[in-house]
Amino acid sequence: GVLDPDNFQIATNAANAIEGTAINTSGTQAGVQTAINSVPLTSAAATDIAFVPPTAGDWTVCGNIVNLPAGTTVVAAIQGWISAVSATLPTSPNGGAMTTTQSTLTTGTRQDIPVGCMRQLLAATTPVYLGQRAFFSVSTDVGYGFIWAHRMR
């Protein structure tokens, strides 16, 4: 499609960064980057939901995850985080950008969970990932999420 100055291409992982997915943002020139995406999940696997590629500088990065299981899916735990390391569960408390919900949730029920915010001091353009891991059984599960980066300086 045709992009305007307030849109840029964002990828769901570094391997497909050239293709990307068009999203609406205020533009990197304003020091704000955003990404929204959805990804099918594999139970217990750390998964990149989305990422932003902030340039060198001091950034605050925030996010939220959404877990949307199929109607018969039983979810026992959900984790979400922000990290500069792809598809890797960080050590808690991860600078305030990590969440864990561990209990048997109502079968097939959507969960919207804030991940928190963290500071990223970057020496060069670096992908910062929104990750999710869910433990589920019976059917399928999809992870959604939103990641936002704001240049502080």
Side-chain angles (χ1 to χ4, degrees), residues 25-84:
T25 181
S26 59
T28 56
Q29 70 280 2
V32 176
Q33 296 185 19
T34 60
I36 301 169
N37 197 32
S38 66
V39 177
L41 299 174
T42 300
S43 186
T47 304
D48 292 331
I49 300 299
F51 81 92
V52 290
T55 56
D58 186 355
W59 293 81
T60 298
V61 183
C62 304
N64 77 302
I65 57 169
V66 178
N67 185 267
L68 187 58
T72 59
T73 300
V74 177
V75 179
I78 303 167
Q79 294 175 298
W81 61 88
I82 294 169
S83 177

